[in-house]
């Protein structure tokens, strides 16, 4: 694992990917920049936010946006801008950790289920089926009300929610990987199952895992906001973008529209950005999903272009 | 076809059993403090004590026994059989009425906004998706695709909030947030559900739009489309008569995939627009920790999802013979 040459390869893979993204996917690049901004805002929230997240300013209740409070204040005199910035941190943490948890769970279940197959796979898949029979949001609400509301709980519950459904994708990938000759070769030379899974299967799951991770993040952020909005997420006074839209914000929104406009706008922008980024990443990493004519490389791209030219020209012929 | 139908129907049975088992496990997971909270929440009007409550939830017997009782295949404490098989989902701890009765009262409005929402979703999604595919990699396509991602990304609860807020700010107009029954005043009812349904539909349309575009692109690359071009048919005919029919088959399957999203959407929309539907019922049931009602609603939703997915699969198999024989 600590082989320096594999380390360098990984690096150039990422750099290549980013270079291709900037060159081929302008919208994805914009999404990437939005994602980066979210990360920076989340990490450096303490330095960026002008006030503390729960710092109340007496005498500034429900004041409209001004030079002192750029985005206005809420009914307790708290600065909306600061709360939106701290909200970015919460969204970022939950999005990344829950998505990582979900992806990990998916990889574990999917790899075992796909590689071993047989009865284990059958039983596992029936459980995943049953799990996916429940509408997501309702299942999450019920789970949150059972285990209680809070940040840790929501991360666990969201990981479970997407971990099971994502295992299908990994399982499919593992099942097709398993058919490769090099796996047979591994078995033939007497590799242990663990070694085959870790050295031969897992590295090849890189692309679907990255795709799974990035596509889950926006879903999780938006669902966390929805749960907090409904009162099953992170309890106040912690500033979350969903929570900022509920409770007292609904009560005062006609007098102070800025209380509900900004958190929602921040949430939408971030989710939009990550979705764009994830989409572009998927197109670059998984040529089969691209919907194009070819599979890999420049040759296929030239073919696709030729095809496009032909179909564009054909109406006139 | 018959073999396929039978196979799909048989697959439902283990699913129903597992779903009910998952619900039973969920009730099991309740920590002791939750029981206390339920007692406190039920509070003044009931003389429930802990043992009686645990008894009514079936927490005083083993997990398989609890599940069998709930399903109605093992006798209750009083010796009678009353469970899912007998059409009894238990009695709401909070409202003190049979769960079935509550569901019957709350489902119509949810169904109404769901159906209208689904229709609106297709009305938005199909034209944009088809346009995007026919003009692949042009500016129109980029705009269409960004629009689709935008629809997926903007949370329904914010759109709904803005839909209430913006008219107030611009025109000082507040839509009346009162509930009108369909049977009392059909037009008033439609006016009332229109805005919620449109918001619900918008959220759903993004996914369908992307799916339509992808399948349309795939079909447009088929040989028979090239033949149609070669015959000198106009683009409109090629797209509508030759391509669209086959491109829409996979789109049907996405309706099944979208249902969970749709149901989640109704929860949020009903909450914001104060519509007395299943969504609000389950929110209040969760907040009051009324777990007989919660398990009843979850079970019903799971069954509904399963059945609709079955119908979707069968339709798909009927339209595309390749599915049947695989």
């Amino acid at each position: 694992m600590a082989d320096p040459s594999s380390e360098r390869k990984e690096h150039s893979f990422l750099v290549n990917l980013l270079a291709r993204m900037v060159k081929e996917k302008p919208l994805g690049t914009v999404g990437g920049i939005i994602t980066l901004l979210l990360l920076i805002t989340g990490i450096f929230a303490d330095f960026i936010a002008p006030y503390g997240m729960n710092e109340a300013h007496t005498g500034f209740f429900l004041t409209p946006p001004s030079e002192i409070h750029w985005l206005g204040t809420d009914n307790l005199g708290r600065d909306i801008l600061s709360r939106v910035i701290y909200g970015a941190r919460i969204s970022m943490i939950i999005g990344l950790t829950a998505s990582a948890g979900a992806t990990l769970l998916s990889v574990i279940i999917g790899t075992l289920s796909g590689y071993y197959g047989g009865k284990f796979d059958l039983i596992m898949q029936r459980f995943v089926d049953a799990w996916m029979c429940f509408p997501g949001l309702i299942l999450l609400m019920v789970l949150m009300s059972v285990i209680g509301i809070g940040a840790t709980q929501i991360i666990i519950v969201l990981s479970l929610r997407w971990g099971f459904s994502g295992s299908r994708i990994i399982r499919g990938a593992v099942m097709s990987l398993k058919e490769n000759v090099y796996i047979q070769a591994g078995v033939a030379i007497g590799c242990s199952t663990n070694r085959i899974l870790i050295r031969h299967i897992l590295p090849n799951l890189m692309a679907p895992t990255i795709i799974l991770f990035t596509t889950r993040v926006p879903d999780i952020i938006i669902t966390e906001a929805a749960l907090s909005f409904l009162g099953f997420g992170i309890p106040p006074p912690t500033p979350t973008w969903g929570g900022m839209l509920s409770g007292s914000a609904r009560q005062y929104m006609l007098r102070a529209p800025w209380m509900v406009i900004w958190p929602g706008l921040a949430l939408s922008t971030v989710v939009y950005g990550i979705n764009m980024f994830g989409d572009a990443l998927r197109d670059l990493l998984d040529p089969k999903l691209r919907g194009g004519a070819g599979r890999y490389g420049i040759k296929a791209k030239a073919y696709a272009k030729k095809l496009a030219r032909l179909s564009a020209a054909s109406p006139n012929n | 076809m018959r073999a396929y139908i039978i196979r799909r129907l048989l697959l439902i049975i283990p699913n129903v059993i597992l779903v009910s088992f998952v619900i039973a496990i969920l009730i099991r997971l309740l920590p002791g403090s939750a029981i206390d909270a339920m007692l406190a929440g039920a509070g003044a009007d009931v003389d429930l004590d802990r043992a009686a409550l645990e008894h009514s939830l079936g927490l005083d017997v083993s997990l398989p026994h609890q599940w069998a009782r709930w399903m109605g295949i093992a006798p209750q404490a009083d010796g009678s059989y009353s469970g899912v098989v007998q059409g009894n989902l238990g009695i709401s701890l909070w409202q003190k009425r049979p769960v079935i009765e509550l569901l019957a009262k709350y489902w119509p409005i949810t169904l109404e906004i769901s159906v209208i929402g689904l229709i609106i979703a297709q009305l938005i999604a199909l034209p944009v998706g088809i346009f995007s595919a026919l003009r692949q990699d042009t500016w129109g396509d980029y705009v269409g695709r960004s629009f689709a991602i935008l629809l997926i990304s903007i949370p329904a609860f914010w759109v709904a909030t803005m839909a209430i807020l913006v008219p107030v700010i611009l025109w000082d107009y507040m839509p009346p947030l009162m509930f009108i029954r369909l049977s009392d005043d059909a037009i008033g009812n439609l006016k009332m559900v229109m805005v919620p349904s449109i918001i619900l539909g918008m959220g759903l349309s993004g996914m369908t739009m992307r799916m339509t575009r992808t399948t349309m692109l795939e079909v447009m690359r088929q040989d028979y489309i090239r033949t149609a071009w070669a015959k000198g048919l106009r683009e409109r005919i090629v797209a509508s008569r030759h391509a669209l029919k086959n491109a829409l088959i996979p789109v049907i399957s996405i309706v099944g995939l979208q249902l969970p999203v749709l149901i989640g959407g109704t929860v949020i929309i009903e909450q914001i627009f104060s519509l007395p539907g299943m969504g609000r019922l389950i929110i209040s049931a969760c907040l009051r920790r009324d777990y007989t009602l919660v398990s009843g609603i979850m079970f019903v939703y799971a069954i509904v999802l399963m059945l609709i997915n079955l119908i979707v699969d069968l339709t798909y198999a009927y339209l595309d013979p390749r599915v049947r024989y695989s």
Side-chain angles (χ1 to χ4, degrees), chain B residues 116-139:
Chain B
I116 302 179
L118 262 182
I119 295 172
I120 287 170
Q122 315 311 320
L123 287 181
I124 304 174
L126 294 183
V128 182
I130 294 167
F131 175 83
S132 239
L134 292 179
R135 301 274 176 276
Q136 190 195 0
D137 291 332
T138 60
W139 276 108

Side-chain angles (χ1 to χ4, degrees), chain B residues 12 31 44 63 72 111 203 277:
Chain B
I12 286 243
L63 178 62
L111 182 71

Side-chain angles (χ1 to χ4, degrees), chain B residues 20 73 83 97 110 143 145 154 176 200 208 272 287 309:
Chain B
S20 55
I73 48 179
R97 287 161 61 192
T110 305
V143 172
R145 281 159 70 189
I154 303 181
L200 205 53
T208 318
I272 293 177
L287 288 176
N309 271 316

Side-chain angles (χ1 to χ4, degrees), chain B residues 121-262:
Chain B
Q122 315 311 320
L123 287 181
I124 304 174
L126 294 183
V128 182
I130 294 167
F131 175 83
S132 239
L134 292 179
R135 301 274 176 276
Q136 190 195 0
D137 291 332
T138 60
W139 276 108
D141 181 29
Y142 286 141
V143 172
R145 281 159 70 189
S146 314
F147 183 54
I149 299 182
L150 200 66
L151 287 176
I152 295 174
S153 306
I154 303 181
F157 54 86
W158 192 55
V159 182
T161 308
M162 289 297 122
I164 296 175
L165 195 59
V166 168
V168 177
I169 296 174
L170 292 185
W171 310 296
D172 231 349
Y173 168 75
M174 178 92 174
L177 285 180
M178 55 185 294
F179 182 64
I180 308 160
R181 268 176 201 292
L182 184 63
S183 49
D184 294 345
D185 174 10
I187 295 178
N189 171 278
L190 273 182
K191 266 190 197 158
M192 173 197 71
V193 299
M194 232 352 132
V195 175
S197 304
I198 289 175
I199 293 167
L200 205 53
M202 275 167 59
L204 292 176
S205 61
M207 219 156 91
T208 318
M209 212 180 272
R210 290 166 58 123
M211 184 82 179
T212 313
R213 177 178 177 275
T214 314
T215 58
M216 194 73 185
L217 277 178
E218 228 160 75
V219 172
M220 289 301 276
R221 294 211 175 84
Q222 300 288 325
D223 287 341
Y224 66 88
I225 297 294
R226 197 182 303 141
T227 313
W229 284 126
K231 283 196 294 184
L233 295 180
R234 273 170 300 155
E235 188 186 20
R236 191 159 51 85
I237 306 285
V238 174
S240 65
R241 297 237 183 106
H242 290 71
L244 192 58
K245 268 185 205 163
N246 284 310
L248 282 188
I249 296 177
V251 175
I252 293 173
S253 69
I254 209 163
V255 175
L257 289 176
Q258 278 187 329
L259 273 181
V261 185
L262 177 70

Side-chain angles (χ1 to χ4, degrees), chain A residues 126 133 137-139 142-143 145-146 222 226 232 245 250 253 260-261 264 267-268 272 275-276 279 282 291, chain B residues 15 18-19 26 31 146 149-150 153 155 157-158 161 165 210 221 263-264 282 286 289 291 294 298 301 305:
Chain A
R126 291 289 81 74
C133 276
L137 193 67
I138 287 182
L139 187 62
V142 173
L143 280 173
S145 87
V146 167
I222 213 168
F232 294 97
L245 283 166
R250 303 207 74 74
M253 71 180 185
V260 293
I261 291 175
L267 177 62
S268 308
Y272 183 67
N275 267 328
M276 290 289 226
D279 251 36
R282 180 173 56 190
Chain B
N15 250 354
L18 268 177
V19 157
L26 269 184
S146 314
I149 299 182
L150 200 66
S153 306
F157 54 86
W158 192 55
T161 308
L165 195 59
R210 290 166 58 123
R221 294 211 175 84
I263 292 169
I282 195 162
C286 280
R289 300 177 176 277
Y291 286 109
V294 166
M298 280 181 81
Y301 263 141
L305 274 186

